[in-house]
Amino acid sequence: CDQQHSNSNERYEETLAKLPIGKGWATEHLVHYQGFWLTPRTALKGLMWIQDHFNPRATDIFLASSPKTGTTWLKALIFAIVNRTRYGISDHPLLTAGPHDCFPFLDTYVDGNNRSLHELDVLPSPRLLSTHLPLGLLPNSMTDDQSCRLVYICRDPKDVLVSKWLFLNKLRPRQLPPLSLEEAFELFCQGVSHYGPYWNHVLGYWKASLENPEKILFLKYEDLKKDPFVVVKRLGEFIGHPFSLEEESGGVVEGILKLCSFENLSNLEVNKTSVLKYSRDIRVDNRDFFRKGEVGDGNNYLTEEMIQRLNAIISEKLLGSGLEL
Ligand code: A3P
């Protein structure tokens, strides 16, 4: 086992040494690996470990997303849907633990981080595990298995860009000047952003969801905001926990929506004060996962010219895919 772990570390070091480097938005630079920009110590290393050691179970439920697309919200919703008969609203784990603790990132189980691979193996089923990795980089064992389910969420790129820029500036060390919006915009348009290019991340999951709709559910943040009741019902069905008519008429869906709402979660003590330990180096204040939670806020920061340029890039990249963002 130790030997296998050191093989993964060696593979990581060897791979890393050969990769092109791009500018990071927060602290670390990014590396270009198989078409995507990844942070070395968290994303690339996590990927090597997942490829080498992760064994999916048929009952696993995965959430995949690009950062700042609504991951935190969807984690809370899926956790609440799956566990709705176990907990009442008044003693719910989401009241005292952050969504990222209830529904952890798969790549935080890399040995040497705060959690270990062994902990992953002993988690009870169904395991709820999330990743920001693009579909094409996930191991075949995760993508080929027809039983486990994968939910993907995407969002208007302008809102993603602005949310990400504000978020990552908070993670920048104090001694560095903040990254300007102009610079973040240029990097985003070049595809140089965590797990980017954003459009390729989205397209990978979009195409796979069309080919395999039983396995991959493709959601949009905007739809969740517009019609949460319908989306949550669909989610429940998709992950094998459909709402009964009794539950529907008894207000169970509304209860979950209220529990997971921006207003409720962002005002909980745990989400105001606790810290998510993503890896040994990366710690994020839970409160930074809750900013505004609105559709279209990116337009309040970007100039008209930026909006038009980004819209044009996205239209060109998505041309012929049947997807609109
Ligand atoms: P904004 O910065 O636009 O407010 P992620 O969880 O993928 O990091 O995405 C974070 C974005 O989702 C932030 O967007 C955040 O405010 C928003 N968000 C977090 N919790 C939410 C909730 N319960 N409902 C709606 N939006 C939420």
Side-chain angles (χ1 to χ4, degrees), residues 4-250:
Q4 280 176 357
H5 292 181
S6 82
N7 288 350
S8 300
N9 281 336
E10 265 173 41
R11 192 159 81 84
Y12 162 67
E13 298 290 349
E14 276 170 21
T15 310
L16 181 62
K18 294 185 214 133
L19 298 180
I21 288 177
K23 189 175 164 66
W25 293 37
T27 48
E28 254 186 324
H29 58 269
L30 301 174
V31 289
H32 201 224
Y33 180 72
Q34 298 191 0
F36 287 92
W37 288 99
L38 306 176
T39 51
R41 277 172 301 174
T42 44
L44 182 69
K45 193 169 180 191
L47 172 64
M48 302 279 148
W49 279 71
I50 291 168
Q51 287 176 341
D52 291 348
H53 307 287
F54 178 57
N55 300 312
R57 291 182 200 154
T59 48
D60 285 342
I61 298 171
F62 299 114
L63 168 63
S65 62
S66 218
K68 314 325 289 173
T69 56
T71 319
T72 312
W73 189 14
L74 208 48
K75 281 184 175 195
L77 287 169
I78 297 177
F79 181 85
I81 294 171
V82 169
N83 292 296
R84 65 182 183 269
T85 53
R86 277 179 76 190
Y87 308 112
I89 295 290
S90 58
D91 60 349
H92 205 281
L94 279 168
L95 299 177
T96 48
H100 294 282
D101 286 317
C102 297
F103 196 141
F105 283 102
L106 182 52
D107 44 5
T108 54
Y109 287 91
V110 170
D111 274 1
N113 274 347
N114 299 299
R115 302 184 172 111
S116 71
L117 279 167
H118 173 68
E119 286 176 63
L120 194 54
D121 286 335
V122 298
L123 282 180
S125 297
R127 293 185 300 186
L128 306 181
L129 295 165
S130 76
T131 184
H132 285 322
L133 288 166
L135 182 90
L137 298 189
L138 296 176
N140 293 343
S141 55
M142 258 173 98
T143 49
D144 292 353
D145 185 304
Q146 287 307 308
S147 328
C148 52
R149 296 277 172 267
L150 191 151
V151 180
Y152 182 76
I153 184 157
C154 73
R155 187 180 185 189
D156 181 328
K158 299 181 287 301
D159 291 348
V160 174
L161 157 64
V162 167
S163 178
K164 189 170 190 153
W165 168 65
L166 292 166
F167 177 79
L168 289 175
N169 260 335
K170 292 194 184 131
L171 295 191
R172 254 167 108 86
R174 295 242 165 87
Q175 61 271 26
L176 291 180
L179 184 75
S180 70
L181 180 56
E182 289 70 25
E183 199 173 354
F185 179 80
E186 283 305 324
L187 290 168
F188 192 84
C189 290
Q190 289 160 23
V192 188
S193 69
H194 299 70
Y195 307 90
Y198 177 68
W199 45 89
N200 285 347
H201 197 283
V202 178
L203 277 174
Y205 284 98
W206 167 248
K207 288 179 185 158
S209 76
L210 295 180
E211 282 161 19
N212 208 345
E214 299 292 307
K215 182 181 165 70
I216 302 183
L217 178 68
F218 188 95
L219 300 178
K220 290 183 179 171
Y221 181 88
E222 292 75 17
D223 293 340
L224 197 47
K225 286 287 289 188
K226 204 165 90 191
D227 214 343
F229 190 87
V230 170
V231 178
V232 162
K233 266 180 37 183
R234 188 149 169 243
L235 249 177
E237 223 162 88
F238 179 79
I239 60 179
H241 294 264
F243 291 91
S244 66
L245 286 176
E246 266 169 25
E247 283 181 311
E248 253 182 65
S249 55

Side-chain angles (χ1 to χ4, degrees), residues 77 253-265:
L77 287 169
V253 179
E254 282 90 349
I256 288 176
L257 287 172
K258 203 165 161 209
L259 173 70
C260 302
S261 68
F262 183 90
E263 291 64 35
N264 187 50
L265 291 182

